[in-house]
Amino acid sequence: MATQADNATADPAAAPRSPFERIGGHEAMHRITERFYDLMENAPEYAELRAMHAPDLAPMRASLPSFLAGWAGGPRDWFNTNPGKCMVSMHSPFPIDRNTAGQWAEAMQRAIRESEVADREIADAMADVLANMARGMAKG
């Protein structure tokens, strides 16, 4: 008698989909990233956050979708390219306080909310987890 796990192995369509797949894959991660950095660059409420970043956001615009993909269960290219690194360790040199952490969290939640995604429920859950992670980086 076949178990449900056996059936999932035999039928890839029956296997649970990762959050990366559910949200819409690379395309959705790129839309979210573009909206996030557009907000950071143009919305005055994120000015302090923007000031902490390099003048040219192009490298981060290119890197963040790959990080989000791997973090959400998709291809792990970012993690393979950056072995042993994580977002917390990469941001530890920056003077992140509650205000700037809150700006990041709010901008990411807004970017996800305003982006076209395949599964709104998983996108909203991802927004909440990322916001909590950002707020957890605040020093003091």
Side-chain angles (χ1 to χ4, degrees):
M1 178 172 185
T3 66
Q4 189 172 15
D6 292 335
N7 290 338
T9 305
D11 180 8
R17 294 180 359 173
S18 69
F20 169 77
E21 293 166 324
R22 288 179 57 194
I23 203 168
H26 286 294
E27 296 82 12
M29 297 306 182
H30 281 281
R31 284 191 295 273
I32 290 166
T33 297
E34 288 302 312
R35 183 65 184 138
F36 173 75
Y37 285 115
D38 287 349
L39 287 167
M40 187 192 298
E41 284 191 304
N42 300 309
E45 60 265 39
Y46 308 123
E48 188 178 350
L49 175 65
R50 177 62 184 97
M52 292 178 69
H53 288 76
D56 182 9
L57 294 176
M60 288 173 277
R61 285 180 185 264
S63 180
L64 185 58
S66 183
F67 169 80
L68 291 174
W71 177 80
R76 300 198 45 88
D77 299 339
W78 187 92
F79 293 92
N80 294 336
T81 303
N82 299 282
K85 294 184 179 177
C86 70
M87 281 296 125
V88 175
S89 66
M90 291 182 75
H91 288 83
S92 64
F94 297 98
I96 300 170
D97 60 19
R98 288 183 184 176
N99 187 48
T100 52
Q103 286 181 21
W104 193 99
E106 183 182 312
M108 181 55 73
Q109 287 177 309
R110 185 173 164 190
I112 291 172
R113 187 174 57 249
E114 294 176 1
S115 296
E116 180 183 335
V117 296
D119 184 327
R120 180 54 51 195
E121 180 181 5
I122 199 70
D124 291 345
M126 184 175 103
D128 290 344
V129 172
L130 287 168
N132 287 336
M133 182 173 68
R135 289 185 186 105
M137 287 190 210
K139 298 170 184 124

